[in-house]
């Protein structure tokens, strides 16, 4: 019987994989501008890290982790998110003493959640996330929100909605907790079993219950903003002022409470406001988590961050009709027929690649005619057609596969000719679409519409 991939997982290849590469490169470039450093932490960690870090009352820890006991009888969990691992690493590596503060990290890696598979809810997902540890200046809160917004803007996504809220500091959160309990107590018998548990342990979690989401008590529950103390209010005002300065459109949405336990002060989510995107439309989720370090027995250190699902972002771009990558095109395809030509091809291909060209060649013994077809399938811009007679004369035949012009050149000049040929294809037509059409009126760019 054929073995199939696990539910909620994907094989990503071809053009789809190139979209992911494009997004990853954009992320790396953006992070360089912001001076955030890459951090890589293990794909699995001690189970306890997520229970203590993410929280015992959250869905992702109580219902969705992939847990296993390793051969040394240790309880391990595939990471469902990145924040807890980064916090653990910060403490374990004593980064509070060893690195200039704040530390500004980013990661782009695989997470695992045992969710009911549906569109936008994968069991293996990739998150790009940032975590800034060591400052709680509201300036950084605004910067972190801006990283997420600017990434989506740079990708060309137009329909986004930024929702922010504040849970306040511990004092504000506690006042809110008490008020929520008073609010839910009279209707508790009408709520689901999970909510009854949440009522005792963490009544905030009731607000994002998927089973009771239509119950009136969830809709008219008090909001966090009514319980912010003066200091928390001021923080939230400062962040909003900075966001305005950064020209980030946002809405204060008091219904955003987030599904993880470690948050306080600002929490935010960015939704894709794209038609037909479905209910799993939250692209980015994040917030401040002062206190997480203490929960993990580390020194008191403020932190803030967000994560976004790359898969969801790519789906949103597709829904908006944004083409991230054009069909791949290789710079040169090297063709040969005889054994001696093949012998020459082996080293020529390497030489061209080491000179910076993207090059492919024939590997399956096709006829010359089939090689032309293969070169077209690969979108080869130029062809090098090897021929024993030419090689004896120290010559090589190069063909521009767009204009179909051919040249026989001295091998010593091959690189220059190839460079020039490819350069002529890259001349922009000036239309501003960066279409590289070389002013070819059939290209369909807006200049030539
Ligand atoms: P989260 O809200 O659980 O937060 O996940 C963040 C983002 O990951 C979501 O907005 C979504 O785009 C994506 N995501 C989550 N689950 C799935 C899934 N099953 N399939 C596809 N995409 C998914 C966190 O993970 C926090 N660690 C964020 C954070 C970082 N807070 C502070 N720092």
């Amino acid at each position: 019987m054929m073995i199939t991939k696990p539910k909620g997982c994907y094989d990503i290849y071809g053009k789809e994989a190139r979209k992911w590469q494009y997004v990853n490169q954009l992320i790396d470039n953006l992070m360089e501008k912001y001076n955030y450093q890459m951090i890589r932490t293990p794909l699995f960690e001690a189970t306890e890290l997520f229970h203590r870090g993410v929280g015992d009352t959250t869905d992702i820890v109580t219902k969705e982790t992939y847990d296993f006991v390793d051969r040394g009888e240790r309880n391990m969990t595939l990471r469902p998110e990145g924040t807890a691992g980064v916090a653990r690493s910060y403490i374990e590596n004593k980064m509070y003493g060893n690195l200039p503060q704040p530390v500004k990290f980013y990661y782009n890696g695989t997470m695992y959640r045992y969710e009911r598979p549906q569109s936008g809810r994968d069991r293996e997902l990739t998150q790009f996330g940032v975590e800034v540890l060591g400052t709680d200046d509201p300036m950084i809160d605004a910067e972190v929100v801006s990283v997420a917004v600017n990434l989506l803007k740079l990708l060309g996504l137009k329909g986004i909605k930024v929702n922010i809220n504040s849970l306040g500091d511990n004092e504000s959160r506690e006042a809110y907790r008490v008020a929520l309990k008073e609010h839910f107590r009279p209707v508790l018998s009408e709520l689901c079993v999970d909510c009854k548990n949440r009522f005792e342990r963490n009544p905030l979690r009731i607000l994002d219950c998927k089973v009771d989401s239509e119950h009136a008590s969830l809709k008219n529950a008090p909001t966090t903003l009514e319980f912010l103390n003066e200091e928390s209010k001021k923080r939230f005002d400062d962040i909003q002022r900075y966001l305005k300065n950064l020209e980030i459109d946002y809405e204060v949405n008091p219904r955003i409470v987030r599904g993880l336990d470690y948050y306080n002060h600002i929490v935010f989510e960015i939704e894709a406001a794209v038609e037909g995107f479905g209910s799993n439309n939250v692209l980015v989720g994040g917030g401040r988590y002062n206190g997480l370090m203490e929960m993990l027995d580390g020194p008191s250190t403020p932190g803030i961050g967000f994560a976004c699902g790359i898969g969801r972002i790519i789906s949103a771009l597709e829904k908006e009709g944004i083409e991230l990558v054009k069909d791949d095109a290789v710079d040169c395809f090297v063709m040969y027929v005889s054994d001696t030509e093949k012998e020459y091809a082996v080293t020529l291909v390497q030489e061209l690649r080491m000179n910076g060209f993207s090059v492919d060649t024939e590997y399956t013994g096709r006829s010359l005619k089939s090689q032309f077809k293969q070169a077209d399938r690969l979108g080869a811009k130029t062809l090098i057609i090897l021929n024993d007679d030419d090689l004896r004369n120290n010559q090589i035949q190069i063909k521009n596969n767009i204009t179909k012009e051919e040249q026989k050149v001295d091998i010593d000049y091959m690189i220059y000719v190839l460079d020039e040929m490819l350069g002529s294809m890259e001349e922009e037509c000036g239309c501003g679409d960066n279409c590289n059409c070389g002013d070819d009126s059939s290209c369909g760019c807006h200049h030539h519409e």
Side-chain angles (χ1 to χ4, degrees), residues 54 60 64 80-84 107 111-113 115 118-131 258-260 262-263 268-270 280-289 303-313:
V54 180
I60 73 166
E64 295 171 7
E81 60 97 57
T83 313
Y107 50 86
M111 312 289 159
Y112 295 87
R113 297 186 184 185
E115 306 224 41
Q118 49 178 288
S119 163
R121 283 204 184 277
D122 309 326
R123 289 189 171 170
E124 183 177 69
L125 57 133
T126 304
Q127 281 187 342
F128 156 58
V130 311
E131 312 292 350
R258 307 275 304 128
L260 298 92
Y262 45 57
Y263 292 115
F268 65 98
E269 289 183 353
I270 304 180
N280 295 317
N281 64 347
V282 180
L283 303 178
V284 179
R288 180 158 279 290
Y289 46 83
I304 181 166
F306 73 77
C308 56
I310 307 264
R312 284 196 195 176
I313 290 178

Side-chain angles (χ1 to χ4, degrees), residues 142-304:
E143 179 175 296
V144 165
V145 176
S146 81
V147 170
V149 172
N150 286 334
L151 171 70
L152 299 177
K153 280 191 184 158
L154 280 174
L155 285 167
L157 200 67
K158 292 184 188 73
I160 57 167
K161 190 162 170 256
V162 183
N163 291 303
I164 67 169
N165 187 26
S166 174
L167 305 176
D169 60 9
N170 283 347
E171 187 187 86
S172 312
R173 274 186 65 143
E174 186 49 31
Y176 183 56
R177 212 178 85 93
V178 171
L180 271 186
K181 285 189 90 164
E182 274 168 28
H183 173 78
F184 285 120
R185 199 183 308 276
V187 293
L188 197 57
S189 60
E190 296 164 29
L191 300 181
C192 74
V193 184
D194 281 344
C195 280
K196 287 185 181 107
N197 277 325
R198 290 169 182 141
F199 178 81
E200 288 307 332
R201 301 176 66 196
N202 189 350
L204 211 88
R205 286 280 75 78
I206 298 177
L207 296 171
D208 47 36
C209 175
K210 285 161 199 145
V211 180
D212 290 324
S213 59
E214 291 304 312
H215 195 279
S217 65
L218 270 76
K219 295 190 169 162
N220 63 16
T223 66
T224 56
L225 294 177
E226 299 159 44
F227 298 88
L228 295 187
N229 57 19
E230 281 313 306
E231 205 199 318
S232 302
K233 254 188 224 150
K234 179 173 181 318
R235 272 196 73 86
F236 198 39
D237 288 344
D238 286 346
I239 297 171
Q240 291 185 60
R241 201 177 58 256
Y242 293 134
L243 288 176
K244 283 181 187 135
N245 292 348
L246 291 170
E247 296 181 355
I248 290 174
D249 289 330
Y250 66 87
E251 242 172 62
V252 175
N253 180 345
R255 299 277 156 221
I256 304 283
V257 290
R258 307 275 304 128
L260 298 92
D261 274 356
Y262 45 57
Y263 292 115
N264 39 54
H265 292 294
I266 187 176
V267 284
F268 65 98
E269 289 183 353
I270 304 180
E271 285 171 41
V274 187
E275 212 167 307
F277 196 69
S279 55
N280 295 317
N281 64 347
V282 180
L283 303 178
V284 179
R288 180 158 279 290
Y289 46 83
N290 299 351
L292 173 62
M293 293 298 169
E294 290 98 313
M295 263 147 67
L296 299 175
D297 290 335
S300 168
T301 311
I304 181 166

